[in-house]
Amino acid sequence: MDWSLFDPTGHRKYLTAAERRAFIKAAMGQTPEVYTLCLVLKDTGCRLSEALALTADHIDTRTGTIVFRSLKKRRLGVHRAVPVSPTLLSELERVHGLRRLQDAPDGGASGRLWPWHRMTGHRRVKEVMAAAGVHGPHATAKGLRHGFGVAALERGIPITLLQKWLGHAKLATTAIYGDVVGAEERRMARKLWD
């Protein structure tokens, strides 16, 4: 399959850093549950279905990671741990009561943090995108995932680590995130303009 960060008409499918900031700012004006979903999508690069499947027992506050079950894999039991900020963990605690859920007899495995269907989650993300003034093919949860990948490479995260965080089976899939005009590429091109 020929993967690209641009749609057939040449429009990008990823959010820029400024759009990601505007998205989170707009999410702050939503319900706390919508806000935390938006934070998880932006800060982990997970798929919407992976976020909606999260239960409290898959959030490890000691190691500062969220463990996603890869729903796109064809076999069960494929997981990946993605490091997250203390701010995200604290927001998940504040809104969802992680400690209380994790202290339950099942360790927090019985209830999803967002008990919504995928279409409801998709609608919530689209509403926040509209409130942020982000429109186009990139104004989706997938656009956030792509934006995460682009931002990670622009900040010097090794591509193999990004591959692990995104749950890609092949490095070639992760490599598409290097096909954008990032800050480093613009600095090199600037030498030609002078």
Side-chain angles (χ1 to χ4, degrees), residues 4-14 179-181:
S4 174
L5 288 178
F6 298 92
D7 72 7
T9 61
H11 296 99
R12 65 185 158 78
K13 298 189 292 189
Y14 62 92
D179 290 341
V180 298
V181 178

Side-chain angles (χ1 to χ4, degrees), residues 12 15 18-20 22-23 126 128-136 138-140:
R12 65 185 158 78
L15 272 73
E19 289 169 332
R20 292 171 78 227
F23 175 76
K126 291 297 276 183
V128 176
M129 291 287 182
V134 179
H135 305 283
H138 58 292
T140 63

Side-chain angles (χ1 to χ4, degrees), residues 67-97:
V67 179
F68 293 101
R69 182 168 59 98
S70 292
L71 300 175
K72 198 169 179 182
K73 305 295 182 194
R74 298 210 191 306
R75 62 187 193 281
L76 294 175
V78 178
H79 296 83
R80 69 184 188 283
V82 178
V84 294
S85 70
T87 302
L88 176 54
L89 291 173
S90 128
E91 286 300 300
L92 290 171
E93 171 59 39
R94 180 182 68 81
V95 174
H96 301 280

Side-chain angles (χ1 to χ4, degrees), residues 35-103:
Y35 173 59
T36 56
L37 175 65
C38 292
L39 273 178
V40 166
L41 291 169
K42 176 195 154 287
D43 288 355
T44 67
C46 71
R47 296 172 180 90
L48 177 60
S49 56
E50 293 170 341
L52 293 176
L54 269 180
T55 53
D57 64 321
H58 282 96
I59 299 171
D60 190 339
T61 56
R62 287 175 287 123
T63 62
T65 59
I66 295 178
V67 179
F68 293 101
R69 182 168 59 98
S70 292
L71 300 175
K72 198 169 179 182
K73 305 295 182 194
R74 298 210 191 306
R75 62 187 193 281
L76 294 175
V78 178
H79 296 83
R80 69 184 188 283
V82 178
V84 294
S85 70
T87 302
L88 176 54
L89 291 173
S90 128
E91 286 300 300
L92 290 171
E93 171 59 39
R94 180 182 68 81
V95 174
H96 301 280
L98 291 180
R99 283 189 202 100
R100 176 184 48 79
L101 293 172
Q102 291 172 343
D103 286 342

